[in-house]
Amino acid sequence: MPVNLPLPVADQLLPVAGVRLGTAEAAIRKLGRRDLSLIELAPGSRVAGVFTQNRFCAAPVTVCKEHLASGGIRALVINTGIANAGTGALGIANARASCEAVAAALGLAAREVLPFSTGVILEHLPVDKLVAGLPAAKGALKSDGWYQACHAIMTTDTQPKCASRQIVIGGKTVTLTGMSKGAGMIRPNMATMLGFLATDADVAQPLLDALVKEAANLSFNSITVDGDTSTNDSFILIATGASGAPAITDAASGDYKQLRDAVVDLAIWLAQAIVRDGEGATKFMSIVIEGGKDRDECRQVAYAVAHSPLVKTAFFASDPNLGRILAAIGYAGVTDLDVNALRVWLGDGREEVLVAENGGRAASYVEEAGARIMKSAEITVRADLARGDAAATVWTCDFSYDYVKINADYRS
Amino acid sequence: MPVNLPLPVADQLLPVAGVRLGTAEAAIRKLGRRDLSLIELAPGSRVAGVFTQNRFCAAPVTVCKEHLASGGIRALVINTGIANAGTGALGIANARASCEAVAAALGLAAREVLPFSTGVILEHLPVDKLVAGLPAAKGALKSDGWYQACHAIMTTDTQPKCASRQIVIGGKTVTLTGMSKGAGMIRPNMATMLGFLATDADVAQPLLDALVKEAANLSFNSITVDGDTSTNDSFILIATGASGAPAITDAASGDYKQLRDAVVDLAIWLAQAIVRDGEGATKFMSIVIEGGKDRDECRQVAYAVAHSPLVKTAFFASDPNLGRILAAIGYAGVTDLDVNALRVWLGDGREEVLVAENGGRAASYVEEAGARIMKSAEITVRADLARGDAAATVWTCDFSYDYVKINADYRS
C-alpha cells in the first residue's frame, strides 16, 4: 500500500492543449496489460529533458539526447517490460527503429521522436512487438489520455501517479499535467524513474532548458528508495504553447516565476509520489538537514541517513532507534562535524521532539514521544549541523520485508 | 545459517603465551548469558589498534585511543548489550569507571586497561552491573579461555568466530589466535565489529603499529554487510613476546614477513567470518575489481556493487540479474568509465563465465551458466575496468528477508 498517495481520478486530470496520448497492449511486458504509450505534440511544441548519470545509460537515453539536441520534437514513445539498457549497438539500433516506426505512423521524421523504455536490463527490445502495437496506440490518441497513459507506464509501481495544476497567465488559463513512474532503483541523479510534465504555456527554449534542470534538482534528484541509480531515468518538460497565453521569454518576469513555481510544485508532487509508492514502503520520511556549510554537505548527510538500511528498517519497525540516525550522520563523511553541537529532532507534522544534543540523547527526550511519532506514516528527521546556513531535504521511505520480496522475485 | 563458517572447536583454539581470558554473566545484555569478557596480558606485552572513523565514535573508543597512546596495556574489558555510544560526557565517565574497576581488580593503573562495548547505541552503560561481574570474570581467567570469550563477545552473531595459526620463528613456535564479532552495520573503516588478534611473538612497537593498519585495510576494511559504519569498531593486535622467539625489529626481515603474512591471513579469516555470518546472509560474495587506475577507484566500484540492495536481493534470489551489477558499476562514480571496454565474469570457484562485454551481455553467455553459478553459496563477481593495473577485493553477503527481520526486531 502506498503511503498517502491518492489514486488519480480520471476527470481531475486536465488535458493540456497540444498534447494527445494513446496506449496499447503490445505484449512486451506481459499479455493483457497496456505497455505501450504514445504522446503526440502539436507543431511548435518545445521540449527539454534531464537524464540518468549512470555510465551504463540505456540506448533510448542516448537516442533521446541526440534527438533533443536537434529540436522540433513531435512525439514520445514509451514501453515498459524491457529497459533496452546494457544492449550495446543492437540496443541503439532498436531504439532508432522504434523512432522510425513512430515517425512513419505519424508522418514525422525519426529525429522528431523521443524513445523511452523501462523494465528489465540487458534484454533486447522486441521492436516487432512495439511496431505491431503502434496502430492501436495511434488510434487511441486523445487529449484526455493521461489517465490511461499513467497506468500504461507503470512497472513495479502499485498505482499510477498523475496530477494537474492550473495557473492564469495574461488572463489565460494555463494547464500543467504530469505523470511519473518508478518505485525502486531510485536515487539522486534520477532512477528507474520516468517523469513527463506538459504545459500549454508558451516558454522560450532557453528558459525551458533551465527550468527542467532546476525542477529536477528540487524533486526527482532529491528522492531515494534504495540508493540504486537506474540506467534509464528521464524527466521531460513539454511546453506546447497552445494555451494562447502570452509567450514567456524573460526569466525575471512574474509570468516566468508563476510558471516556475507551478512546475516545481508539480515535479515535487510527482517525485514524492514515487517515494510514497516505494517498493515495500510503509512510511514516508523527510530528511531535513540544516545548518550545513553548503547544500552539497547537507545533501550528503541527508542521503547517508536516507540510505542506511539500519535506519530504514528501524522506521519500518516504528522503532525510535535514534542511535542508528546519529551513526549515519556520523559516517556521512563530514570529517570535522562537531557531534556535540549537532541537534536532531523527530516530527510527524503534529509535534516535533528534540531527540539528540550534546553528543547524545537529549535530556528532555522521553522514548514515549519518539515511539508516538514513529507510529505515524509520515515522519520528518530534522538535524541542525550547526556549521552554517545551508539546508537540503531528501525524501525516502522505509525498508520492509516486501522490498526484499519484490526485488528477489522481480524477474520470476 | 552462516555461509561456510566452521564452528570453533575448543581444543583447536591455541592458547597464546602471556594472554589469559575470563568471562562472566553481568546481566548487561540479558540474564543468563555471558556478556562480560576480561583479557589479561603479561607485563611487557605490546598492543596496537585501529578504530572506527565515525564522528559519533563511542566513549570506549575515545578512552581506548587515549590509553593506547600512553602504552603499557595490561588488560582489556569487553561488554555486550550496550554500546556506550552517543552518550556524551557521562559515557566517557562510565568508560573510565570501567577501566578503574578492572584496574582495581587486577592491581593495575586505569590507563593500562582498554575498554570495549558493543550493542545498543544511546543507552548508558550500567557500570554497577559491569563492576559486579568483574570478580567472576577475573576468577575465570585462563590461558585457554578463547573458546568462552569468543562466545561472550557476540551480539546478533549467530555463531562465534575464532581461529588459530602457528608459525616457527628462530626455531621457536609462535602462536596467533584471534576472535571477532559482528554481523551487521559492517562496512569499510570498520563496523560494529570487534576484532582481537594476539600473538606471543616479540614485535617492536613501530612494526606492530604499521602491521595493525595494514592487516585492517586488507581484512576488516574490505568487508561490508549493509554499508553502515558503526560507532564502536575496533581491531586490536597484541604481541606478548612470551614465545621465547627472537625479537622482530626489522620490517625487511624474513621473520617479520612471515609474521605479517600470518597476521594478515588470520585477520582476513576473522573479517570474512563476519560476512559469512552477516545478518540474514545466505551467500558469500567476493567482488573483485581489476584493471583500475588506482586501488581507491577499484574499491569505489567494488563497494557500489557490494552495497546495492538490488544486487544483494538478486543474489539472495539466485537470480543472475546481470543488469543490476552493470548498473551499479555504472553509477559508482568513475565518470570516464568506458562501458564498452568493461568485462564482467561470474564464478563460483569451479567455473567462471564471461557475462558482459561490449556494453552489454557477452555473446557467449547463456543464462543457464549464470543460473548454475548463482545457486552456489560462494560467488565471485570479477570485473576488468580496462583502465590500468590496480585491483581491489571486497567481501559481502546477500540481502534477505531475515536481514529486515533481524534489524526491525533488534531492540524488541
Side-chain angles (χ1 to χ4, degrees):
Chain A
M1 283 290 296
V3 183
N4 297 337
L5 179 61
L7 277 168
V9 176
D11 61 8
Q12 290 173 6
L13 301 179
L14 305 174
V16 176
V19 178
R20 296 200 309 157
L21 309 95
T23 63
E25 295 178 10
I28 299 169
R29 182 157 184 240
K30 52 180 80 165
L31 292 174
R33 194 179 181 298
R34 292 175 186 274
D35 53 9
L36 181 65
S37 301
L38 198 56
I39 306 179
E40 185 196 50
L41 308 181
S45 295
R46 297 190 185 98
V47 179
V50 289
F51 300 93
T52 181
Q53 301 291 311
N54 196 307
R55 289 296 301 164
F56 263 97
C57 85
V61 169
T62 302
V63 174
C64 263
K65 288 179 182 171
E66 204 178 287
H67 289 187
L68 263 183
S70 65
I73 299 302
R74 292 290 310 285
L76 293 74
V77 58
I78 309 149
N79 75 272
T80 64
I82 299 290
N84 193 6
T87 45
L90 178 57
I92 297 282
N94 284 341
R96 289 196 201 290
S98 308
C99 293
E100 278 155 22
V102 171
L106 299 181
L108 304 171
R111 66 178 156 68
E112 295 173 311
V113 181
L114 298 182
F116 303 86
S117 297
T118 174
V120 175
I121 316 182
L122 281 181
E123 305 283 340
H124 286 293
L125 182 68
V127 181
D128 53 337
K129 291 185 179 177
L130 185 145
V131 170
L134 279 178
K138 181 187 170 188
L141 283 171
K142 55 181 178 175
S143 59
D144 59 353
W146 288 96
Y147 186 76
Q148 286 75 22
C150 71
H151 285 78
I153 63 172
M154 295 197 296
T155 55
T156 59
D157 306 63
T158 70
Q159 73 168 65
K161 302 155 181 79
C162 193
S164 295
R165 301 278 187 275
Q166 282 190 321
I167 54 177
V168 176
I169 293 184
K172 295 273 185 185
T173 296
V174 166
T175 300
L176 302 89
T177 296
M179 61 181 178
S180 60
K181 65 84 35 183
M185 223 190 207
I186 305 295
R187 80 155 281 173
N189 301 318
M190 321 292 288
T192 301
M193 188 300 306
L194 298 177
F196 303 95
L197 199 166
T199 176
D200 47 15
D202 183 348
V203 193
Q205 188 71 43
L207 298 193
L208 201 67
D209 291 340
L211 182 51
V212 74
K213 287 192 184 68
E214 183 185 5
N217 281 336
L218 292 170
S219 59
F220 295 103
N221 286 344
S222 293
I223 61 174
T224 183
V225 168
D226 52 20
D228 280 86
T229 303
S230 144
T231 51
N232 293 56
D233 309 332
S234 310
F235 173 50
I236 300 294
L237 181 57
I238 296 160
T240 64
S243 64
I248 301 175
T249 55
D250 177 4
S253 67
D255 287 352
Y256 178 75
K257 190 181 173 312
Q258 202 185 345
L259 180 72
R260 179 261 177 213
D261 289 351
V263 166
V264 169
D265 177 64
L266 183 51
I268 289 177
W269 190 92
L270 293 170
Q272 289 189 350
I274 289 173
V275 173
R276 292 180 185 284
D277 194 20
E279 290 172 345
T282 74
K283 302 277 173 76
F284 179 82
M285 294 152 60
S286 301
I287 316 297
V288 181
I289 306 297
E290 303 170 343
K293 282 191 178 159
D294 53 44
R295 187 172 147 79
D296 281 353
E297 164 176 301
C298 294
R299 283 173 67 85
Q300 186 179 330
V301 173
Y303 273 113
V305 175
H307 285 155
S308 161
L310 289 173
V311 169
K312 291 163 89 81
T313 48
F315 275 71
F316 169 56
S318 298
D319 174 6
N321 193 322
L322 310 175
R324 296 184 181 178
I325 298 170
L326 296 186
I329 294 172
Y331 68 66
V334 181
T335 51
D336 56 348
L337 180 70
D338 178 1
V339 297
N340 293 310
L342 175 80
R343 287 184 302 164
V344 181
W345 294 261
L346 280 180
D348 64 359
R350 291 182 297 271
E351 63 175 323
E352 189 182 58
V353 176
L354 178 68
V355 296
E357 64 182 340
N358 300 321
R361 180 157 39 198
S364 58
Y365 175 69
V366 289
E367 181 139 330
E368 299 87 81
R372 197 164 55 234
I373 289 168
M374 292 296 276
K375 287 202 187 96
S376 302
E378 311 236 349
I379 303 167
T380 297
V381 176
R382 183 163 72 89
D384 181 352
L385 304 183
R387 298 158 51 85
D389 294 324
T393 297
V394 163
W395 298 287
T396 190
C397 56
D398 60 337
F399 216 172
S400 68
Y401 295 115
D402 281 350
Y403 177 85
V404 177
K405 183 169 165 51
I406 291 163
N407 283 295
D409 294 349
Y410 182 48
R411 298 205 318 172
S412 55
Chain B
M1 282 289 295
V3 183
N4 297 337
L5 180 61
L7 277 168
V9 176
D11 61 8
Q12 291 174 5
L13 301 178
L14 305 174
V16 176
V19 178
R20 297 200 306 156
L21 310 93
T23 63
E25 294 178 11
I28 299 169
R29 181 153 186 243
K30 51 181 80 166
L31 291 176
R33 194 179 181 297
R34 291 174 187 275
D35 54 9
L36 181 65
S37 301
L38 199 55
I39 305 178
E40 185 198 48
L41 308 181
S45 295
R46 298 191 184 98
V47 180
V50 289
F51 301 92
T52 181
Q53 301 292 311
N54 196 307
R55 289 297 301 164
F56 263 98
C57 84
V61 169
T62 301
V63 174
C64 263
K65 288 180 183 171
E66 204 179 286
H67 289 186
L68 264 183
S70 66
I73 299 303
R74 292 291 311 285
L76 293 76
V77 59
I78 308 150
N79 74 273
T80 64
I82 298 290
N84 191 7
T87 45
L90 178 57
I92 297 282
N94 285 340
R96 290 195 200 290
S98 307
C99 294
E100 278 155 21
V102 171
L106 299 179
L108 305 171
R111 64 177 158 69
E112 295 174 311
V113 181
L114 299 183
F116 303 87
S117 297
T118 175
V120 175
I121 315 182
L122 281 181
E123 304 283 340
H124 286 293
L125 182 69
V127 181
D128 53 337
K129 292 185 179 178
L130 185 146
V131 170
L134 279 178
K138 180 187 171 190
L141 283 171
K142 55 181 178 177
S143 59
D144 59 354
W146 287 97
Y147 186 75
Q148 287 75 22
C150 71
H151 285 78
I153 63 172
M154 296 197 297
T155 54
T156 59
D157 306 64
T158 69
Q159 72 168 66
K161 300 153 183 81
C162 193
S164 294
R165 300 279 186 275
Q166 282 189 324
I167 54 176
V168 176
I169 293 183
K172 295 272 184 188
T173 296
V174 166
T175 300
L176 302 90
T177 295
M179 60 182 179
S180 60
K181 64 86 34 184
M185 222 190 208
I186 304 295
R187 78 155 286 174
N189 302 318
M190 321 293 287
T192 301
M193 187 300 310
L194 297 178
F196 303 95
L197 199 166
T199 176
D200 46 16
D202 183 348
V203 193
Q205 189 70 45
L207 298 193
L208 202 68
D209 291 341
L211 183 52
V212 74
K213 287 191 183 70
E214 183 186 4
N217 281 335
L218 292 171
S219 60
F220 296 104
N221 286 345
S222 294
I223 61 174
T224 182
V225 168
D226 52 19
D228 279 86
T229 303
S230 144
T231 51
N232 293 56
D233 309 332
S234 310
F235 172 49
I236 299 293
L237 182 57
I238 296 161
T240 64
S243 64
I248 300 174
T249 55
D250 177 5
S253 67
D255 287 352
Y256 178 76
K257 189 181 174 312
Q258 202 186 346
L259 180 74
R260 178 261 178 214
D261 289 351
V263 166
V264 168
D265 177 64
L266 184 51
I268 288 177
W269 190 93
L270 292 169
Q272 289 190 349
I274 290 174
V275 173
R276 292 180 185 284
D277 195 21
E279 289 170 347
T282 73
K283 302 278 172 77
F284 179 80
M285 295 151 60
S286 301
I287 316 296
V288 182
I289 306 296
E290 302 170 343
K293 282 192 178 159
D294 54 43
R295 186 171 148 78
D296 281 353
E297 162 177 302
C298 294
R299 284 173 65 85
Q300 187 179 328
V301 173
Y303 274 114
V305 175
H307 285 155
S308 159
L310 288 174
V311 169
K312 291 163 90 81
T313 49
F315 275 72
F316 168 56
S318 297
D319 174 6
N321 193 322
L322 310 174
R324 295 184 182 177
I325 298 171
L326 296 186
I329 294 172
Y331 68 65
V334 182
T335 51
D336 55 349
L337 180 69
D338 177 1
V339 297
N340 292 311
L342 174 79
R343 288 184 301 163
V344 181
W345 294 261
L346 280 181
D348 64 359
R350 291 181 298 270
E351 62 175 324
E352 190 181 58
V353 176
L354 178 68
V355 297
E357 64 182 341
N358 299 323
R361 180 157 38 197
S364 58
Y365 175 69
V366 289
E367 180 138 331
E368 299 86 80
R372 196 164 56 233
I373 289 168
M374 292 297 276
K375 287 201 186 95
S376 303
E378 310 236 350
I379 302 167
T380 298
V381 176
R382 184 163 72 88
D384 181 353
L385 304 183
R387 297 158 52 83
D389 295 324
T393 297
V394 163
W395 298 287
T396 190
C397 56
D398 60 336
F399 216 171
S400 69
Y401 296 115
D402 281 352
Y403 178 86
V404 178
K405 182 169 166 50
I406 291 163
N407 283 296
D409 294 349
Y410 182 49
R411 299 205 318 172
S412 53

